[in-house]
Amino acid sequence: VRRNAGEPEFHQAVREVLESLGRVVAKRPDYLEDALIERICEPERQIIFRVPWTDDKGRVQINRGFRVQFSSAMGPYKGGLRFHPSVNVGIIKFLGFEQIFKNALTGLPIGGGKGGSDFDPKGRSDGEIMRFCQSFMTELYRHLGEYTDVPAGDIGVGAREIGYMFGQYKRLTNRYEAGVLTGKGLFYGGSLARKEATGYGNTYFTQAMLQTGGSDFDGKRVVVSGSGNVAVYTIEKVQEFGGKVLACSDSSGYVVDEGGIDLDLLKEIKEVRRGRISQYLRMKGEGNGAYFVKSGEGSIWDVACDVAMPSATQNELTGKDAKKLVANGVTAVGEGANMPCTPEAIRAFQQAGVKFGPGKAANAGGVATSALEMQQNASRDRWSFEKTEAKLAEIMRDIHDSCYSTAEEFGAPGDYVIGANIAGFIRVAEPMRAFGVI
Ligand code: NDP
């Protein structure tokens, strides 16, 4: 704790994993040798750097950039970049730590890392975004490479930002190294279905959890928080599976549409206009069973539903929210975001017998498809949407099944948190032991 002072989210993420590992070392005390568990909790390398850039008024702005290269036991560091004013080293470390186990669960050869900046893209022009991304990459590029570290998007970083960063990487290195970033545009090495992958993947995972109880999404009332990349494609897949998505949100508030969220309208607002969720009501017209609740005047988790899919940010769903959801009859929760549920919320769900899919398993579809993008880049190939989605569906099924069976094997049937932590840990621990003390 002293070494990582002022990093509460990192402590939270580590504590959750360590709580599960007691069951592993009880069976396999050899995992305590050579400080293996302590080593996994310490990043291999962390880079913090200045990002100077010029805004549209000609003023110089300074932001801070981060890249935490957490573990390369399974392959090159892999994990997204987040641009959000709340970013600090503790946030990036929690995300990087989670990423190690998530990436291991995919069964693909990728290590764990995460990065980003406290830059706030909201309200910034295209030119400002471009200059920021170029400056950010001007420092970061020397730490990247398709065999070293392969970033992707996250909050505030989508195809536009990846395009600017890839362009700058190419210019600085004089290398068209497609495999150095994922989430690229389709016309320069991106993969079909990558944009959809995290939301679709969480829907596949949650569907698999529902199926263990003989149920599925058909006819279910679903609440999805957020309205960014993960939320939009969660809504798309849930609707395809026959569920009705009643509500979604952004940091300004949440919208409820009793008739089911109009996905075309949502995409128009979020993907085309880069607008706010409050515009939904204005564009749809009031009095159609839709209403908007401003942030601070209510919680999206007050909306009664059968399935909750938090897909915005960390610690957005508290113990109080969880109790409300349980009282309203929720039966399954799939985390689309990273660590969106507080420890109290997770406890409340599990005590009530709600099926709970932790982010490191449920939202692994994004990074898994990023690894598929790397495969396509390495073989100079391009797969169809259907082929990529079929692989994603298979990977999510495998992740579900390995969490499920590991939880059973370690005496915690139905506990996907324990299953994910243990299955991910064992996969990373084995190569670490093989490599010796490094
Ligand atoms: P986006 O930037 O596309 O969307 C984020 C959404 O969450 C926006 O609607 C945003 O609203 C909302 N949000 C962010 N912060 C807050 C906050 N403090 N309070 C309320 N709402 C907030 O990001 P993504 O959809 O890519 O990421 C969402 C989550 O999913 C993150 O936790 C991310 O780490 C995780 N994730 C993403 C993956 C991916 O492939 N993109 C892969 C795996 C996990 P607003 O616009 O108002 O800020």
Side-chain angles (χ1 to χ4, degrees):
V1 170
R2 231 179 309 125
R3 184 182 285 167
N4 303 293
E7 299 173 0
E9 293 85 2
F10 180 52
H11 297 171
Q12 183 182 335
V14 171
R15 186 174 302 121
E16 187 210 278
V17 170
L18 295 187
E19 277 170 6
S20 300
L21 295 190
R23 291 170 190 262
V24 184
V25 297
K27 271 196 180 179
R28 292 277 308 268
D30 51 307
Y31 281 135
L32 287 172
E33 286 165 15
D34 298 331
L36 193 138
I37 294 174
E38 287 94 322
R39 269 191 285 150
I40 250 185
C41 297
E42 185 67 21
E44 289 177 15
R45 186 178 300 110
Q46 47 191 76
I47 303 145
I48 302 183
F49 52 100
R50 177 170 68 197
V51 189
W53 57 283
T54 307
D55 68 18
D56 284 346
K57 296 199 171 102
R59 283 184 309 229
V60 175
Q61 305 270 353
I62 305 294
N63 285 99
R64 187 169 287 179
F66 303 90
R67 186 72 183 165
V68 174
Q69 298 180 331
F70 225 116
S71 168
S72 59
M74 298 286 297
Y77 309 107
K78 182 92 199 82
L81 297 171
R82 176 178 292 192
F83 293 169
H84 193 271
S86 63
V87 164
N88 57 44
V89 71
I91 296 276
I92 299 296
K93 277 170 66 181
F94 114 66
L95 290 163
F97 183 72
E98 290 267 300
Q99 198 84 42
I100 305 171
F101 305 97
K102 178 189 312 196
N103 293 5
L105 283 171
T106 67
L108 298 164
I110 40 179
K114 199 83 189 187
S117 173
D118 56 4
F119 171 69
D120 187 357
K122 271 203 200 85
R124 291 295 177 190
S125 69
D126 252 6
E128 290 177 318
I129 300 279
M130 181 182 76
R131 290 192 294 279
F132 175 80
C133 289
Q134 289 175 340
S135 179
F136 183 83
M137 189 50 94
T138 299
E139 171 56 34
L140 190 63
Y141 87 96
R142 70 190 83 248
H143 307 288
L144 307 183
E146 66 173 308
Y147 297 107
T148 313
D149 186 352
V150 183
D154 191 77
I155 292 179
V157 179
R160 173 180 59 168
E161 291 74 19
I162 294 289
Y164 292 143
M165 288 190 271
F166 184 75
Q168 186 71 351
Y169 183 87
K170 186 173 78 57
R171 180 193 202 188
L172 290 165
T173 59
N174 195 29
R175 280 164 67 85
Y176 204 112
E177 194 183 330
V180 73
L181 285 169
T182 59
K184 298 184 291 297
L186 295 177
F187 31 84
Y188 65 95
S191 173
L192 286 162
R194 171 60 188 92
K195 181 175 70 173
E196 293 81 358
T198 307
Y200 279 22
N202 186 23
T203 312
Y204 282 119
F205 187 94
T206 306
Q207 171 98 329
M209 289 200 300
L210 289 167
Q211 283 167 346
T212 62
S215 167
D216 60 25
F217 268 109
D218 198 27
K220 295 280 186 303
R221 299 164 305 160
V222 182
V223 169
V224 178
S225 64
S227 51
N229 172 261
V230 177
V232 165
Y233 293 95
T234 301
I235 296 172
E236 183 164 286
K237 200 44 133 188
V238 166
Q239 290 182 344
E240 197 187 307
F241 282 177
K244 189 190 224 183
V245 180
L246 296 175
C248 63
S249 63
D250 64 20
S251 57
S252 67
Y254 67 94
V255 68
V256 178
D257 191 337
E258 310 283 4
I261 292 289
D262 179 337
L263 186 62
D264 291 337
L265 180 56
L266 183 66
K267 283 186 179 176
E268 169 69 24
I269 295 168
K270 286 291 170 180
E271 295 187 344
V272 181
R273 303 187 183 201
R274 294 182 185 272
R276 311 302 298 153
I277 200 69
S278 50
Q279 287 168 250
Y280 184 95
L281 214 56
R282 248 176 284 142
M283 290 171 69
K284 184 166 179 182
E286 296 206 31
N288 292 322
Y291 59 93
F292 175 70
V293 180
K294 256 202 248 162
S295 175
E297 292 180 3
S299 162
I300 190 172
W301 309 118
D302 293 341
V303 179
C305 62
D306 305 302
V307 182
M309 304 176 82
S311 307
T313 196
Q314 63 275 358
N315 293 327
E316 55 161 309
L317 196 164
T318 64
K320 187 170 154 235
D321 296 326
K323 284 182 190 134
K324 186 80 194 231
L325 281 163
V326 168
N328 283 337
V330 76
T331 60
V333 178
E335 288 190 322
N338 285 310
M339 212 167 76
C341 298
T342 64
E344 298 73 38
I346 298 172
R347 256 195 307 279
F349 289 135
Q350 292 186 325
Q351 278 166 5
V354 173
K355 295 179 193 305
F356 177 77
K360 65 169 74 70
N363 73 31
V367 73
T369 309
S370 275
L372 301 180
E373 183 174 331
M374 291 163 72
Q375 280 185 32
Q376 292 169 74
N377 295 150
S379 57
R380 305 278 191 266
D381 199 0
R382 186 172 160 75
W383 303 346
S384 67
F385 193 98
E386 292 69 30
K387 175 173 172 175
T388 317
E389 192 187 344
K391 283 190 180 271
L392 166 66
E394 188 188 324
I395 291 167
M396 295 315 297
R397 165 60 68 180
D398 285 351
I399 295 175
H400 172 274
D401 293 354
S402 88
C403 294
Y404 190 85
S405 59
T406 304
E408 239 173 23
E409 184 189 337
F410 285 86
D415 189 328
Y416 291 93
V417 174
I418 287 178
N421 288 337
I422 294 181
F425 169 77
I426 290 174
R427 289 194 194 172
V428 182
E430 289 304 331
M432 282 182 75
R433 276 151 52 107
F435 298 156
V437 179
I438 53 170

